[in-house]
Amino acid sequence: MPTATGADPFIGREREMAELTTALDGALEGRGGLVMLAGEPGIGKTRLTEELTAIAKARGALVSWGACYEGGSAPPYWPWTQVIRSLLTEPSVAVMNALETRGAVIADIVPEIDDMLPDMQPAPEVDPTQARFRLFDSVTSFLNEVAISQPVILVIDDLHWADRSTLELLEFVARDVATRPMLLVGSYRDMELSRQHPLSETLATLARARGFRRIPLRGLGSEDVGRLVEAVGGIRPPPALIDEIHDRTEGNPFFIVEVTRDLAREAAVRGGNFDSVGSFRIPEGVREAIGIRLNRLSEECNRVLQTAAVVGREFDFALLAALSQELSEDALLDVTEEAIIAGVIRVASGPNERYEFTHALIQQTLAEELTPGRRVRLHIRIVEAMEELYVDHLDEHVVELAHHCAEAETVVGEEKVVRYSRMAGERAAAAYAWVEARAYFEQALAALGEDAPAADRAVILFGLGRSELFSLTYPDIQRGWDNVARAFDLYDGLGDSEAAVEVAKQSGGYRAMWVNGTEDVYSRALELVAPSSVDAGYLLEQHADAIRFEQSDAPKSLEALEQALAIAMHTGEKRLEYRVLMNLGWVKIADGHFRVAIEHFLRALELSRERAQPIEEMVARQWLIAVSISTGDPDVASQHLDAALRLIECTGVKSVVSLHQYRLALLRGNLAEVDKHREVVEREHPNDSVIRMMIGIGDWHTKERSDIDERFQAARQEGQTAPSLWQRSANATVLVLGALVMDRPQIAIQAGEIARSVLLAPRLAPEIEWSAHTTAGLAAVAAGDAGEALEHYQVLKDRRGGLAGLALLFAGDRLLGLLAHTAGMPGAAVAHFEDALDFSGKAGYRLETAWICYDYAEALLDSIEPSNIEKAFTLIDDGLEITRELGLIAIEKRLGTLQVKAESMAASTPAYPHGLSAREVEVLRLLATGRTNREIAEELVISARTVERHISNLYTKIGVRNRAEATSFALARLAAPPTP
């Protein structure tokens, strides 16, 4: 663990130190915080943190360090492993008490806990996603409990090299830090970050946490440079030299110190005065300055350090000794001490006799001085030495071994690369670090020879496929299933039915609608298990999804689910019961039975809470949110949404909740919330053409999108080429919706062609059939095809009330109104549009109300009846009122165009006295009967504000001042029908 003792002078960071001290004060008082130090290499991030931790220790805090290392030589969660190891080096009673109930879980990333707690019971088996949450929660609660007994300062250096799992655990730990006596301090090189860098997303998440501070470090000013040079060199140099050092180093403290040390040596040679070194050459950069320092070390010391640099940022003495057999132990200790005195390495925390380079730049400089050939041979020697040294516990070093083998693959051979990469992948998967596991399995597969045994290939393919299924999104997730299926085939071919069944069982947890080719695996796996076993229950539940989406056999799918549910109830397997109920809920939605679906989801929710499974609870709530939004109950949706968001905070697991937030905000016309959630949704689903098209449609309402044509193209491509009918149909649906909204009839027709090709399939699951008819019907509306519109209307006419689908922002009755109008059924169209208005009005879906006003008014204007024109005017007015209030610029323009058309039509129709419109006459007649504004609004099914506007207009037109005068006018002038 780094300390301030013996470190370089601390100069010129008064402002930054004040900020850190304020954060420390808060943590010591129970108001924790999170501080991120950002700057270039050598700018002083670690040195500033050392000074802070020295103060924290003096004030009674417990300090623990961790660091991320470059090059993939450290296992997932490595800095957290270091942090926990540091706390366990000389553990207090409080630390051991905090560890006791969580040790079995935390041992996944800190193996020595097994030795510390030999009587510890293993953690029960749970789903991988739940297990990952359990690990994160155990680490966090352990640290929180330790902090209650003694304030904790946690430092993680070099986050720009962190693996994704380390960053996700950091996000998890940081959630509640503001309410704990804990300070998290991280450092990173901001110059190395791009928008695609994993740390960028983490920083965006952390910035929303309470107590977050970001402290950028820049170069020291000229005055501080002079103070640092004087403190390091012992003599104050002339101002001109200080200015030159400042300019050449750009105030980088590490560079300044290196230059000053060299300058001081030069001055000592020339009489001990800086004035006598006027021709002193300042190095061109930090690496050259480091090289000068290293050149002053002995040849043996440099050779040993170069070996250590290839080992990694950290290394232990035993391994270094094995690699330096030409030196005696005493000689090796001598060169180690020489390097420590020179400030090149320092003692590291943790078990064994370990050291680390004081700065990553020193390690990099040493390693880069070696020729590629020499580096490769050193990697080979390191592998051989580690295999001999750690023969009894190689599993603890497989990540390092995999790294060194990969660096020397051309010489070390494929077998070792495969072996250690596979073991490293299995270790990462055991810690639920799926992204890192995927990388190791990919490395193993790439090195695997064509003649490798089938069993070896199966192990790697299964590991790779499973890690892909848990870490990729659509459409890339298909790769994961393809690898799983290849592994199953290999095990089945070998006659290893037990392994084959495990592959099939452990590869679930996704919706089969987005993965193709699963049915064959599950049907074959079912033949390998007892029909009424728990294994059969899980396989049946997964098989049901495959049957539904790949064979479109809804009855057979339902039969499989019922069998699985019977097994769950008979065996008392609550986890299986939960999964079946969730699947049954989807089936009932597809069949249009929303109330039954809600009952299934609520029972699944109850089961998840009984079993204390927060991730399962979150998934159940997500479906309840979706159903509630679609059935027009946003208040219930918001209740489940709030609960789901609390669960996300608790679990740290990303979900589709942000997509539901986006849909609800857009339906309500809350554009500020729309913008907020859009960024999250696009980041979470970067390649999903359906969701990207939905976002494009949403954005069209308020702004132009430069990439909307690319989004149309992606959805069209997926709709034409996706392997499953569901994927093709879903893409076609969002394609036609976008085309209608943006008035692109040709694209709508193309979407209709895709949908009709889907409808040609000999058998379709209900949800696919409904989706395809919706798309083809809307395409018929765009083309004005009355016959086809009637055909789809007859299929869809019973799907009334609510939105047209779980993922759509479109009232079902608006769809039917458009189809009925196109088919030449004006009475049915009016009834559907009125029902759509009633639904959206009660639900508060103002965006949808504005669109219904537009479509309804446009349909009415196809008739020349005066009453229809006046009704259209009212709808247009109501729509404009919403769009102007919400800032829905695009719909406002469409309504404005429609208004001009209505005015043109009104000018050619018979007029009422004094230029009154038909609607104004209706309002006047009702006013004359003594009705209030509210009663008139209810009678005419318009808003009270619209009634007020009509009354004001008619007062002006007929020249009256109050209701009594208006009543007199009505009785005298409106007794007869209007005259031309």
Side-chain angles (χ1 to χ4, degrees), residues 589-902:
I589 290 171
D591 293 339
H593 301 141
F594 290 100
R595 291 189 180 278
V596 180
I598 289 171
E599 290 174 7
H600 286 317
F601 291 141
L602 286 173
R603 172 56 184 155
L605 177 64
E606 182 183 342
L607 280 171
S608 67
R609 301 188 74 179
E610 283 177 6
R611 295 165 48 243
Q613 300 291 311
I615 294 173
E616 289 183 0
E617 179 184 348
M618 182 171 62
V619 173
R621 290 195 185 276
Q622 286 173 185
W623 281 101
L624 286 164
I625 293 165
V627 176
S628 300
I629 291 174
S630 294
T631 55
D633 201 340
D635 291 337
V636 171
S638 294
Q639 292 170 13
H640 288 298
L641 190 55
D642 290 342
L645 289 172
R646 288 193 294 271
L647 287 165
I648 289 173
E649 282 191 25
C650 163
T651 63
V653 174
K654 294 178 174 61
S655 71
V656 297
V657 166
S658 55
L659 180 59
H660 295 316
Q661 289 176 296
Y662 177 84
R663 292 178 61 229
L664 191 55
L666 190 57
L667 281 165
R668 287 171 162 170
N670 188 337
L671 300 187
E673 288 291 305
V674 167
D675 283 342
K676 171 183 170 184
H677 299 307
R678 180 194 66 232
E679 294 179 9
V680 178
V681 173
E682 291 220 285
R683 188 168 63 243
E684 292 177 353
H685 306 276
N687 301 315
D688 191 319
S689 55
V690 171
I691 292 177
R692 292 186 73 243
M693 192 67 233
M694 287 174 58
I695 296 294
I697 294 171
D699 281 357
W700 176 88
H701 290 86
T702 57
K703 60 177 76 70
E704 293 286 338
R705 280 205 73 110
S706 60
D707 66 345
I708 192 62
D709 288 325
E710 183 273 328
R711 292 176 188 243
F712 271 123
Q713 176 60 28
R716 182 166 47 234
Q717 181 72 18
E718 279 288 292
Q720 293 169 338
T721 63
S724 81
L725 293 174
W726 168 258
Q727 292 162 16
R728 289 163 55 192
S729 179
N731 276 281
T733 301
V734 292
L735 191 63
V736 78
L737 290 177
L740 288 177
V741 163
M742 299 173 211
D743 196 20
R744 300 201 183 185
Q746 191 57 42
I747 294 178
I749 292 170
Q750 292 170 351
E753 292 171 355
I754 296 171
R756 285 190 292 275
S757 72
V758 171
L759 290 170
L760 291 175
R763 183 171 55 196
L764 290 173
E767 59 270 37
I768 299 175
E769 183 178 11
W770 161 81
S771 175
H773 276 293
T774 297
T775 303
L778 289 173
V781 169
D785 188 327
E788 188 172 356
L790 178 61
E791 174 192 338
H792 299 300
Y793 176 84
Q794 295 296 341
V795 174
L796 298 169
K797 64 183 179 181
D798 294 330
R799 297 244 175 199
R800 305 186 59 181
L803 297 178
L806 284 184
L808 302 180
L809 308 177
F810 201 100
D813 275 297
R814 175 156 73 103
L815 166 66
L816 294 172
L818 287 168
L819 290 171
H821 171 67
T822 305
M825 301 185 293
V830 167
H832 286 305
F833 281 129
E834 289 291 343
D835 287 345
L837 280 174
D838 183 60
F839 164 75
S840 64
K842 288 179 179 177
Y845 295 162
R846 305 190 71 196
L847 173 73
E848 178 61 5
T849 298
W851 271 114
I852 295 167
C853 286
Y854 176 84
D855 287 336
Y856 191 179
E858 188 176 45
L860 290 171
L861 291 178
D862 282 350
S863 166
I864 59 172
E865 292 184 23
S867 60
N868 281 356
I869 296 173
E870 289 307 315
K871 174 67 173 176
F873 268 122
T874 301
L875 289 165
I876 291 168
D877 285 346
D878 289 346
L880 286 170
E881 183 179 323
I882 293 171
T883 57
R884 287 165 181 165
E885 182 180 336
L886 299 180
L888 299 169
I889 301 167
I891 311 181
E892 183 182 347
K893 289 180 181 178
R894 296 277 285 271
L895 285 164
T897 302
L898 206 58
Q899 187 177 47
V900 171
K901 178 181 178 181

Side-chain angles (χ1 to χ4, degrees), residues 192-229:
E192 299 193 10
L193 295 195
S194 64
R195 288 176 58 193
Q196 290 73 38
H197 196 290
L199 180 57
S200 295
E201 183 177 340
T202 292
L203 290 172
T205 301
L206 296 177
R208 295 191 289 269
R210 197 150 52 95
F212 175 83
R213 299 168 189 248
R214 179 180 179 275
I215 303 178
L217 300 184
R218 300 295 176 251
L220 299 177
S222 184
E223 183 179 343
D224 289 330
V225 169
R227 292 169 56 205
L228 182 56
V229 170

Side-chain angles (χ1 to χ4, degrees), residues 36 104 155 283 302 427 450 468 476 506 575 716 754 793:
M36 286 287 136
V155 180
N302 268 288
R427 177 163 181 162
E450 291 297 325
E468 287 173 326
D476 300 323
Q506 293 185 35
R575 174 168 160 257
R716 182 166 47 234
I754 296 171
Y793 176 84

Side-chain angles (χ1 to χ4, degrees), residues 271-331:
N273 192 322
F274 278 135
D275 291 331
S276 65
V277 291
S279 61
F280 174 75
R281 186 183 71 84
I282 296 177
E284 289 300 320
V286 177
R287 292 183 188 277
E288 185 183 346
I290 291 170
I292 292 172
R293 188 205 302 199
L294 295 173
N295 287 340
R296 300 186 186 281
L297 298 175
S298 67
E299 185 178 340
E300 280 188 348
C301 185
N302 268 288
R303 188 166 56 251
V304 169
L305 289 174
Q306 284 181 325
T307 300
V310 176
V311 172
R313 177 77 184 274
E314 239 187 70
F315 53 93
D316 65 48
F317 185 83
L319 178 58
L320 196 60
L323 296 167
S324 308
Q325 293 183 354
E326 71 280 6
L327 296 177
S328 66
E329 184 174 289
D330 286 342

Side-chain angles (χ1 to χ4, degrees), residues 46-80:
T46 301
R47 183 66 186 85
L48 184 60
T49 311
E50 289 172 354
E51 196 68 19
L52 173 73
T53 55
I55 295 171
K57 284 182 179 180
R59 296 177 62 180
L62 190 60
V63 174
S64 187
W65 284 72
C68 309
Y69 296 152
E70 184 183 22
S73 60
Y77 309 109
W78 178 245
W80 293 105

